[in-house]
Amino acid sequence: MYGNHGWFCATLFCLTNIFFFCFKDFKRLEKNTRAGIDTEYHGTTGPNIISDLPDAHITMQNLVESVSKHLSIPKSNDLNGKEGQIGVGITQTFTHKGARYSAADAYLNAEILKSHKNLFVRTHAQVQKVVFSQDKKVTGVTF
């Protein structure tokens, strides 16, 4: 048997279908800041900022080149793009202006909090129950 235990054709088919079903939503959430990024695979207008490392040191770039050359592994400039995930390259990160950019930064900024009067943020609260409406939409939480 080859590969990882439990990974067989039906599993891969299912995961592939889930990926393509969700792909447009992932693109909508992404704000990729790389100049010339392939918009077939990446979003550029969403709230989640994805960027190149600001200080990708020349040593790291040389390492990628060396690994690619000496191990005959293809070099990839976009590990999540058309070139696929097979290869060696420097990955992008959820960072903005040199700092980690979290989902909270993307969705809970002051502008959003001001515009949604029914949204309250409680820190250090542990949710006990998620409350759903008749049509299965989340309407609140108990904490």
Side-chain angles (χ1 to χ4, degrees):
M1 180 168 189
Y2 299 102
N4 293 328
H5 177 71
W7 286 77
F8 53 93
C9 188
T11 303
L12 293 176
F13 178 76
C14 180
L15 290 174
T16 301
N17 284 336
I18 290 169
F19 171 77
F20 285 114
F21 179 74
C22 298
F23 184 63
K24 66 180 177 10
D25 294 321
F26 286 121
K27 279 179 57 176
R28 191 182 75 221
L29 300 175
E30 181 179 7
K31 182 177 187 173
N32 197 304
T33 62
R34 181 182 285 171
I37 195 72
D38 187 347
T39 56
E40 181 182 351
Y41 292 89
H42 298 281
T44 58
T45 60
N48 290 317
I49 297 175
I50 299 171
S51 63
D52 292 308
L53 294 170
D55 297 319
H57 196 274
I58 192 70
T59 304
M60 180 60 91
Q61 294 171 10
N62 289 341
L63 178 64
V64 167
E65 292 287 341
S66 180
V67 167
S68 175
K69 180 181 176 184
H70 294 301
L71 297 179
S72 298
I73 298 172
K75 183 174 179 255
S76 176
N77 291 319
D78 184 0
L79 293 167
N80 293 312
K82 190 178 290 187
E83 298 172 17
Q85 296 182 340
I86 298 173
V88 61
I90 300 173
T91 189
Q92 291 185 296
T93 59
F94 287 97
T95 54
H96 181 58
K97 297 181 181 176
R100 167 90 164 86
Y101 197 80
S102 69
D105 294 322
Y107 293 100
L108 298 177
N109 58 51
E111 184 179 309
I112 290 174
L113 293 175
K114 286 179 188 174
S115 67
H116 290 80
K117 300 297 180 197
N118 63 343
L119 176 62
F120 302 94
V121 177
R122 304 273 179 172
T123 59
H124 308 292
Q126 184 173 3
V127 173
Q128 302 297 317
K129 179 180 175 183
V130 178
V131 181
F132 292 91
S133 66
Q134 290 272 341
D135 57 349
K136 298 187 189 286
K137 292 184 179 178
V138 174
T139 58
V141 295
T142 303
F143 59 96

